[in-house]
Amino acid sequence: FAEDTNIFEEGQFTNAVSSHTQGDGSDLDAYLDKLFVVLNTPEKDRQDLSAYLNAFPYVNGGLFRQRLQMPKFTRRSHRAIIDSGELDWSVINPDIFGSMMQAVISTEQRGGFGVHYTSVPNIMKVIEPLFLNGLKEDFEKAKGNQKKRNEYLKRLQNIKIFDPACGSGNFLVIAYKELRKLEMEIFKEQRSALPISGISLKQFFGIEIDDFAHEIAQLSLWLAEHQMNVEFFNEFGRTNPTLPLKESGNIVQGNACRIDWEEVCPKKEGTEVYILGNPPYLGFLQQTKEQKSDMDFVFHDKENIKKLDYITCWFYLGANYLQDKNAKLGLVSTNSIIQGEQVALFWPHILNGMNVEIGFAHQSFNWNNSAKSNAGITCVIIGLRPKINSPKYLFTDNVKSEVANINAYLSPSRNIFVTKLTNPISQFPRISLGSSAYDGGYLMITPEERAEVIDLCPEAKNLFRLFVGSVEFVRGIERYCLWIEDSQLDLANSIPFIQKRLENVKKFREGSKRGQTFETATTPHRFTEYRHKDKPSLLVPIVTSERREYLTLGFLSKGEVIPNSARAVFDSEPYLFGVLSSKIHMAWVKAVGGRLRTDVRYSAGVCYNSFPLPPISDQRKQEITQCVFRILEEREKHPEKTIAQLYDPDKMPEGLREAHRLNDLAVERCYRSKPFESDEERLEYLFKLYEKTTSEEQER
């Protein structure tokens, strides 16, 4: 890089390696060791050096300060270095360093740190609404006024950028480059001046737990500084010299959960501080003992933190940093912290307990970056700031909307926190989880296996039941399970195929480390968690595609077994199907429920029990029931299609779509006479009704 960007003479390093070391690599380690000492020694202090070594400039900056054990080189690695030197490194993207680090660090180590790398487009999603868009607007206002231009330049030179989980430095690098570009635009307005950049790496701060990433972050900032110096020189004919290097950024190696952020990035009156980054996520099940200890350290006086993601430490510490100061924060996170139970456990500490609000947010989007083995996750971006009277912006699929408020679900509604409830707040029957087999798959039976057994023993027919979970119902898969009452056990054991299956279940459960499961090895013919009722049921899938406009529900007869991949409402009135498969209920579920990546997870406590529906008359129930029958009739018109195919939003039959539209209107008349025009309107109404209903419950 140095020889391709005029830090060294052109080809200086590559030619020196080629000319002054053996082709078999045997002396390359000694040569590099000597060269690195030279690069760390000022020219005036060098003694008895060969001319070709003395020709290398003094680098300084601490880059070559530490003496390291050199690896042994081979002919192949010697050749690789020379080949690399023949490439053009002058236009290297700093984003490559995140990719390089991901390639070098083991998969296990990356997972342990909760490390993910951020592409430049995703970095821009953070820095633009956090500070860059505002700076560009202020730049336009300053263009025609010399005094304002000078004030603007001074402002740029005092801004602090702080990444408390900086990794290989990508956020800091891109922020540095954008500030330098803005500074150059101002200088272009001042044609008579002789410009020199006043933005320095001292304005950039970071914390990184991994030593290797910490070193790369410093190196990345030096490279970015030199790149911008070259751009500056090409534009104005003068620039700050790159060498000798100054100290690179204020990058501290350490644990951001334990370090005082104000010691790393001190706040100063009149100085703007922007905290940004992509901290480690790690759900509570993935956290190490040390990380759980970090959680206890950060939330030492708070309750119910054990189910929180590790990244909440950064939001909490960041919100503390923002208190009554000229600072703002924008962090990338998995969307799990804005969904389900975690919202009510965490966000009241921030939005109710501190003088902080969400100033901007990007709703869920799929992750991508430049590294190999891309992280398969769905992210959000959340911007916090002290409470101020200025616009808030919500980004949905990169479309920007100004809103009155952004709540913890990243919905433009009031700050309401939906808690996990044990009973429905509406007049709904109880919903339960399906039955759990924990059988190693041995109680599950294919249609072919069932037919073979019944051919040999017709009375075995009563030992099988249809097994209908979320996947089976939605994809139209026929599957059975062994369902053996105690009184049928002798018959079951008389059939070799079934007896063998029960023996395998017994062995599987005996291998369990869970005491309760181990105990059920004595009754291998029964499911471990038995919630079945011999009544008709309404099946509610636990997971459904985010693409679908409606939940894919179904009525089952009393003999069918629902597993724990679905919820079951036994003996429900038909109108409940209409309410739960309405657009307004789906809006609620998508807002407050959990996610499996982008797919919707339906929970009893948060989605069903918390859903607010006003008391409705028998007449209204009858209207909705008629809509339900129409939906079922439309489904029956397409027996060749699965539920998944029927509810594909791009291929949904028009008759079914119309039946659902009429059902939506009937359900929404339960709330008000005028139909809702958008999900935002629906949610705003629902959050208000939820708040009213739960407060009335508490008063009772």
Side-chain angles (χ1 to χ4, degrees):
F1 177 83
E3 64 187 21
D4 283 350
T5 57
N6 301 317
I7 297 176
F8 295 169
E9 295 295 325
E10 184 177 352
Q12 185 176 5
F13 172 75
T14 305
N15 292 337
V17 170
S18 180
S19 302
H20 299 284
T21 63
Q22 299 295 320
D24 62 4
S26 59
D27 60 348
L28 184 53
D29 57 332
Y31 170 78
L32 290 177
D33 189 60
K34 185 184 296 183
L35 174 61
F36 290 175
V37 171
V38 171
L39 295 175
N40 194 49
T41 305
E43 286 86 345
K44 63 183 179 61
D45 296 332
R46 297 177 182 177
Q47 297 177 355
D48 303 325
L49 288 180
S50 303
Y52 77 89
L53 280 174
N54 204 37
F56 281 96
Y58 172 45
V59 172
N60 195 30
L63 183 58
F64 296 100
R65 179 187 299 149
Q66 187 179 1
R67 295 292 294 274
L68 300 173
Q69 178 66 42
M70 287 290 170
K72 294 294 182 181
F73 290 85
T74 62
R75 183 178 298 278
R76 184 179 176 185
S77 53
H78 182 274
R79 184 71 247 171
I81 286 182
I82 294 173
D83 289 345
S84 295
E86 292 172 355
L87 302 174
D88 180 8
W89 290 78
S90 62
V91 291
I92 187 173
N93 187 334
D95 190 33
I96 194 68
F97 286 98
S99 304
M100 181 179 78
M101 182 177 170
Q102 185 160 345
V104 172
I105 293 181
S106 70
T107 302
E108 293 77 16
Q109 190 177 359
R110 291 201 307 270
F113 287 147
V115 172
H116 300 286
Y117 299 93
T118 318
S119 65
V120 175
N122 283 339
I123 290 173
M124 296 303 288
K125 286 181 180 178
V126 176
I127 69 174
E128 284 180 337
L130 181 62
F131 66 87
L132 192 57
N133 289 341
L135 287 176
K136 287 181 176 179
E137 290 171 7
D138 292 342
F139 167 69
E140 292 299 321
K141 297 173 185 176
K143 269 186 175 179
N145 185 301
Q146 179 65 43
K147 181 181 178 182
K148 286 185 177 180
R149 286 200 302 264
N150 290 337
E151 290 173 352
Y152 186 83
L153 282 172
K154 186 175 180 182
R155 179 185 172 193
L156 291 182
Q157 294 162 8
N158 282 285
I159 284 174
K160 291 182 176 181
I161 307 294
F162 176 30
D163 185 346
C166 68
S168 53
N170 284 5
F171 276 89
L172 297 175
V173 164
I174 302 304
Y176 172 79
K177 286 190 166 189
E178 292 299 326
L179 290 184
R180 287 289 302 267
K181 289 174 186 176
L182 277 175
E183 184 188 50
M184 288 172 65
E185 291 299 315
I186 283 287
F187 285 142
K188 288 177 186 177
E189 292 286 310
Q190 301 177 168
R191 291 294 179 184
S192 59
L194 290 175
I196 200 76
S197 178
I199 295 172
S200 80
L201 297 182
K202 291 180 180 179
Q203 296 170 236
F204 295 81
F205 302 79
I207 303 173
E208 172 51 41
I209 196 168
D210 179 67
D211 182 49
F212 180 51
H214 159 261
E215 296 283 348
I216 289 180
Q218 293 179 316
L219 176 61
S220 298
L221 282 169
W222 275 319
L223 297 185
E225 181 183 46
H226 178 64
Q227 286 179 322
M228 295 312 300
N229 285 348
V230 170
E231 280 194 35
F232 199 96
F233 182 84
N234 291 338
E235 184 67 40
F236 302 108
R238 66 199 300 257
T239 190
N240 293 320
T242 295
L243 296 182
L245 293 174
K246 314 298 184 295
E247 289 291 338
S248 171
N250 302 282
I251 312 298
V252 174
Q253 185 195 354
N255 184 342
C257 297
R258 305 279 181 160
I259 294 175
D260 185 341
W261 289 14
E262 288 202 47
E263 287 186 9
V264 176
C265 181
K267 287 181 279 192
K268 182 181 176 183
E269 196 65 36
T271 298
E272 301 167 48
V273 181
Y274 297 102
I275 303 170
L276 76 186
N278 179 15
Y281 312 135
L282 294 170
F284 72 97
L285 292 176
Q286 287 79 44
Q287 294 163 20
T288 65
K289 282 186 179 180
E290 291 75 15
Q291 289 158 346
K292 289 183 185 296
S293 176
D294 289 340
M295 297 282 291
D296 290 334
F297 183 84
V298 171
F299 296 103
H300 61 93
D301 59 344
K302 301 292 185 291
E303 297 180 355
N304 299 321
I305 63 144
K306 294 191 182 300
K307 290 189 176 181
L308 298 182
D309 289 357
Y310 192 43
I311 196 173
T312 55
C313 292
W314 276 259
F315 279 100
Y316 186 77
L317 293 171
N320 271 307
Y321 187 99
L322 301 184
Q323 297 298 293
D324 303 317
K325 301 293 180 181
N326 192 17
K328 295 180 181 179
L329 170 148
L331 298 178
V332 181
S333 172
T334 50
N335 61 359
S336 55
I337 71 165
I338 62 152
Q339 297 165 350
E341 204 178 345
Q342 199 163 178
V343 174
L345 294 177
F346 172 65
W347 283 103
H349 296 310
I350 303 291
L351 299 180
N352 289 349
M354 303 182 188
N355 185 40
V356 169
E357 64 185 4
I358 298 176
F360 76 90
H362 279 266
Q363 292 179 328
S364 297
F365 62 94
N366 291 323
W367 186 255
N368 59 74
N369 60 41
S370 301
K372 69 179 184 180
S373 303
N374 240 336
I377 50 179
T378 304
C379 289
V380 293
I381 295 170
I382 301 174
L384 300 180
R385 68 187 188 190
K387 290 181 179 177
I388 54 176
N389 185 23
S390 64
K392 301 179 179 74
Y393 296 104
L394 192 60
F395 296 82
T396 306
D397 297 327
N398 291 323
V399 176
K400 177 181 175 182
S401 304
E402 183 175 338
V403 296
N405 188 61
I406 302 173
N407 68 16
Y409 301 96
L410 303 193
S411 170
S413 304
R414 293 156 54 84
N415 286 339
I416 303 296
F417 306 100
V418 178
T419 58
K420 184 178 180 180
L421 302 175
T422 55
N423 295 302
I425 62 171
S426 301
Q427 295 176 351
F428 291 165
R430 290 183 65 85
I431 189 171
S432 67
L433 194 61
S435 299
S436 176
Y438 202 81
D439 61 332
Y442 296 112
L443 293 178
M444 301 300 113
I445 305 296
T446 66
E448 294 77 16
E449 290 169 334
R450 173 179 175 270
E452 288 177 12
V453 173
I454 293 174
D455 280 345
L456 295 173
C457 182
E459 60 267 34
K461 183 177 181 179
N462 293 328
L463 303 179
F464 301 100
R465 293 210 183 182
L466 268 173
F467 181 87
V468 187
S470 298
V471 173
E472 289 80 10
F473 176 72
V474 171
R475 297 182 186 174
I477 299 171
E478 184 183 3
R479 185 174 294 166
Y480 294 85
C481 66
L482 286 169
W483 193 263
I484 303 168
E485 303 292 347
D486 292 346
S487 59
Q488 299 170 310
L489 195 52
D490 288 342
L491 171 61
N493 283 322
S494 71
I495 302 170
F497 174 85
I498 295 178
Q499 183 186 36
K500 182 64 175 175
R501 287 297 186 100
L502 298 183
E503 287 175 0
N504 286 334
V505 173
K506 184 174 186 293
K507 289 177 184 177
F508 178 78
R509 292 178 181 174
E510 285 175 342
S512 173
K513 295 179 180 178
R514 293 177 57 196
Q516 286 181 322
T517 303
F518 181 84
E519 289 172 7
T520 63
T522 59
T523 54
H525 62 291
R526 296 181 64 86
F527 277 41
T528 57
E529 295 176 9
Y530 184 97
R531 303 183 184 91
H532 177 75
K533 295 180 181 179
D534 271 329
K535 295 180 178 181
S537 59
L538 176 61
L539 178 145
V540 185
I542 284 182
V543 178
T544 192
S545 170
E546 186 189 41
R547 293 183 64 243
R548 294 188 188 125
E549 297 176 40
Y550 303 100
L551 293 176
T552 48
L553 313 181
F555 286 115
L556 302 181
S557 62
K558 66 179 184 179
E560 292 160 314
V561 175
I562 298 176
N564 59 3
S565 65
R567 301 277 175 184
V569 183
F570 291 101
D571 230 2
S572 71
E573 295 181 67
Y575 88 92
L576 183 64
F577 179 109
V579 173
L580 299 187
S581 60
S582 66
K583 192 166 284 186
I584 193 169
H585 186 63
M586 189 63 159
W588 180 257
V589 172
K590 285 186 174 181
V592 306
R595 295 291 173 108
L596 181 64
R597 295 188 65 177
T598 59
D599 288 341
V600 178
R601 288 183 64 89
Y602 195 93
S603 73
V606 176
C607 297
Y608 182 85
N609 291 341
S610 70
F611 181 65
L613 179 74
I616 58 177
S617 65
D618 289 341
Q619 180 184 348
R620 192 70 73 198
K621 287 183 182 180
Q622 190 58 37
E623 288 177 11
I624 297 172
T625 298
Q626 291 304 313
C627 292
V628 171
F629 291 155
R630 190 179 292 112
I631 289 171
L632 296 177
E633 287 170 6
E634 289 298 329
R635 286 183 181 181
E636 290 172 0
K637 289 179 181 179
H638 305 275
E640 78 287 357
K641 293 181 182 289
T642 64
I643 292 294
Q645 292 166 335
L646 287 173
Y647 283 84
D648 183 325
D650 298 329
K651 302 174 183 177
M652 192 175 193
E654 286 306 313
L656 182 58
R657 192 183 299 277
E658 176 63 11
H660 270 285
R661 187 187 72 82
L662 295 173
N663 181 69
D664 288 335
L665 293 174
V667 173
E668 291 183 6
R669 281 195 292 271
C670 298
Y671 295 91
R672 68 183 197 186
S673 58
K674 179 184 176 183
F676 296 100
E677 294 184 3
S678 66
D679 280 349
E680 287 74 23
E681 234 182 62
R682 293 181 180 95
L683 285 172
E684 185 176 5
Y685 194 100
L686 289 173
F687 278 125
K688 287 179 181 177
L689 183 57
Y690 171 84
E691 185 178 34
K692 179 175 181 291
T693 305
T694 51
S695 62
E696 288 173 353
E697 286 284 332
Q698 290 170 358
E699 288 174 6
R700 284 200 290 269

